[in-house]
Amino acid sequence: MNEIDRLSEFLQRLTPLSRSCLLSELERLELCGIDMPGSADIQSRLRAEFRKDGSTQARATNPSRYFFAPLELLLIDGAPEHANMGRISRNTLTPIWEWICRDLLPTMARDYIKAINDQVAANNPKEVQKIASTFQIKVVKVLESTLTSSESAESARAKLAQYTASRTAFDDVVKMLHVLRAGDALPKFNEKLPEKIAKFDDGQVAQISAQLDAFKRTHPQALPFALALVARRLKTSWQLMRLATKAAASKAAADVAATPYACVVPMVLDRLDDKRLALRIALRHNRVLVARDLLAEIYETEYALQVRIDDIEHCDWGVRLQQLMDAIAALVSAEVSRFPDNVGHILGSRRLRSHDTLSGKLTYLAWKGRDAMQDGAAALRKLIGQD
């Protein structure tokens, strides 16, 4: 028996759920930059089984797909190994589902799967949704009980670790709990948002802030997910931080951190980290034009953070920003160094840093002039108040 036959025999010994979990885990390792010998062949075989369209993005099987439906708008396809406030990694859904079925609620899960399959076969979508909603409520109640004590939470974490080595899988379980607990509040909030926010100006910021204020009063733990839904509408991810900088007394990092929506700054940094990971993958596969566009977005985000938050380099946000940019610089340097010094590389072009152009410098001066006027007006109001 050759290696291919032994591999096929091994895979067939696994349950379909285990094979799906294995595929998600191999994809997670690849996104983290970990090379596994023979992984490509295994992934190809498993994708042929579970994803008829050949997709490289994890897709849950039918019963779990209905259960996870409320999470759909919050799922990301990148590596789950770094912080992603307000978002959940799609690659953790399979191990989470396996944990629910085998450890958390095995009997109820079996009943749920049978009921879903029966109603899908009967083409009864309303009943399918009702069954899924009922099971979601049961899972929420059990999770609330499980997570009340540190001992039971650690036990759950250990059980979940049997299905994935991802360090963030348990965090995604907690996120899932917050989303399911919010019920239809998130979909309703999402429906009220504009389809696209081309220009996140003062008027739009005020309008969205009012909607967020109302949402936060009833579902404070689900606020990061509401913010993630807002971010989906924005032209560029860094604009999200305007919810904090607009409400701040000044551009000082301490004042921005004191606002109700200061968490948007780490969320912007999360998205910058996403771009770092995407850049690494693009360079690995020699997709230079994709890497160029990613790098331009990265530089734009870095510049926006530095310009809109004073002294950011002296706070935790600035430390994380510098760490990310150092890692990105190392990726770019390694790529550029593959070519002779007398051969220019597109990733080394200064044009990628749009703020270094004349237009960028004029925009910077305009920002500074506007900020000076706003700071002066704020100081005047403060003096009047003191009088």
Side-chain angles (χ1 to χ4, degrees):
M1 183 181 294
N2 58 34
E3 288 187 6
I4 295 177
D5 292 334
R6 284 198 296 270
L7 174 61
S8 297
E9 183 180 343
F10 167 74
L11 293 176
Q12 290 306 312
R13 289 177 182 173
L14 302 176
T15 65
L17 195 58
S18 294
R19 291 197 297 273
S20 179
C21 192
L22 174 62
L23 176 56
S24 295
E25 189 69 2
L26 290 174
E27 288 175 336
R28 182 188 68 81
L29 293 172
E30 183 178 43
L31 287 169
C32 294
I34 300 174
D35 294 322
M36 298 281 289
S39 174
D41 187 42
I42 297 175
Q43 289 185 51
S44 177
R45 289 169 177 269
L46 293 175
R47 284 180 187 138
E49 176 183 356
F50 293 105
R51 304 173 199 162
K52 303 306 181 183
D53 61 353
S55 171
T56 59
Q57 297 175 353
R59 290 293 181 267
T61 53
N62 275 342
S64 62
R65 180 165 59 86
Y66 294 117
F67 174 80
F68 289 125
L71 279 58
E72 186 61 38
L73 290 177
L74 304 166
L75 297 177
I76 57 170
D77 294 310
E81 300 309 298
H82 67 286
N84 258 301
M85 189 182 298
R87 296 182 296 170
I88 297 171
S89 171
R90 192 184 296 275
N91 280 334
T92 61
L93 296 190
T94 300
I96 288 173
W97 181 245
E98 187 153 357
W99 170 67
I100 289 173
C101 292
R102 294 189 178 185
D103 299 295
L104 192 69
L105 287 170
T107 302
M108 289 184 180
R110 283 195 298 271
D111 294 342
Y112 163 77
I113 291 170
K114 182 181 184 306
I116 284 288
N117 288 335
D118 288 345
Q119 294 305 319
V120 168
N123 193 24
N124 193 345
K126 288 185 178 180
E127 191 63 25
V128 166
Q129 187 173 1
K130 181 180 177 181
I131 293 169
S133 178
T134 300
F135 189 56
Q136 288 161 5
I137 293 171
K138 292 177 181 177
V139 171
V140 165
K141 289 181 178 178
V142 174
L143 284 177
E144 287 175 339
S145 175
T146 301
L147 301 180
T148 51
S149 72
S150 57
E151 184 178 351
S152 59
E154 282 304 310
S155 176
R157 188 191 296 271
K159 288 285 187 180
L160 185 59
Q162 296 177 9
Y163 308 110
T164 176
S166 171
R167 298 187 302 273
T168 60
F170 184 78
D171 295 334
D172 282 347
V173 169
V174 177
K175 292 178 187 179
M176 179 186 74
L177 171 61
H178 293 326
V179 174
L180 295 180
R181 188 187 280 160
D184 61 356
L186 279 167
K188 288 181 178 178
F189 174 83
N190 187 55
E191 289 173 2
K192 293 179 182 178
L193 293 174
E195 185 174 345
K196 291 289 182 183
I197 304 177
K199 187 177 181 182
F200 204 33
D201 55 19
D202 290 354
Q204 283 279 20
V205 170
Q207 179 182 340
I208 297 298
S209 294
Q211 291 176 248
L212 287 166
D213 289 344
F215 181 87
K216 185 176 64 171
R217 282 194 290 271
T218 53
H219 302 284
Q221 290 182 314
L223 177 63
F225 306 105
L227 290 167
L229 293 175
V230 174
R232 288 169 57 93
R233 297 330 204 262
L234 299 176
K235 184 178 180 180
T236 55
S237 61
W238 65 258
Q239 291 178 328
L240 189 65
M241 69 180 175
R242 293 211 68 217
L243 290 167
T245 57
K246 179 63 180 174
S250 75
K251 289 176 58 180
D255 285 336
V256 175
T259 64
Y261 298 109
C263 65
V264 297
V265 180
M267 294 177 77
V268 170
L269 291 169
D270 290 346
R271 284 155 176 75
L272 187 62
D273 203 3
D274 289 341
K275 291 183 174 63
R276 175 188 64 82
L277 293 169
L279 176 65
R280 185 182 65 191
I281 293 172
L283 292 175
R284 175 181 291 184
H285 295 285
N286 293 317
R287 297 170 183 163
V288 180
L289 295 181
V290 173
R292 177 200 61 186
D293 294 342
L294 285 167
L295 198 56
E297 294 174 12
I298 287 169
Y299 289 151
E300 181 184 7
T301 301
E302 176 197 24
Y303 182 62
L305 285 162
Q306 292 173 336
V307 168
R308 295 174 181 271
I309 303 178
D310 288 344
D311 299 322
I312 189 173
E313 64 273 14
H314 299 307
C315 67
D316 290 342
W317 296 336
V319 171
R320 186 181 175 199
L321 174 61
Q322 188 60 55
Q323 290 171 343
L324 288 172
M325 295 310 299
D326 287 346
I328 290 163
L331 289 173
V332 174
S333 178
E335 170 65 17
V336 172
S337 66
R338 296 195 303 117
F339 296 80
D341 293 339
N342 61 338
V343 177
H345 195 293
I346 191 172
L347 298 189
S349 172
R350 290 187 60 185
R351 292 183 179 181
L352 293 178
R353 293 183 179 271
S354 60
H355 52 273
D356 281 343
T357 64
L358 176 60
S359 174
K361 290 176 180 177
L362 289 175
T363 301
Y364 173 76
L365 291 174
W367 279 349
K368 281 297 184 183
R370 183 194 62 190
D371 292 340
M373 292 179 62
Q374 290 178 343
D375 291 346
L380 180 60
R381 287 194 297 271
K382 187 174 181 180
L383 285 172
I384 292 173
Q386 289 176 341
D387 289 341

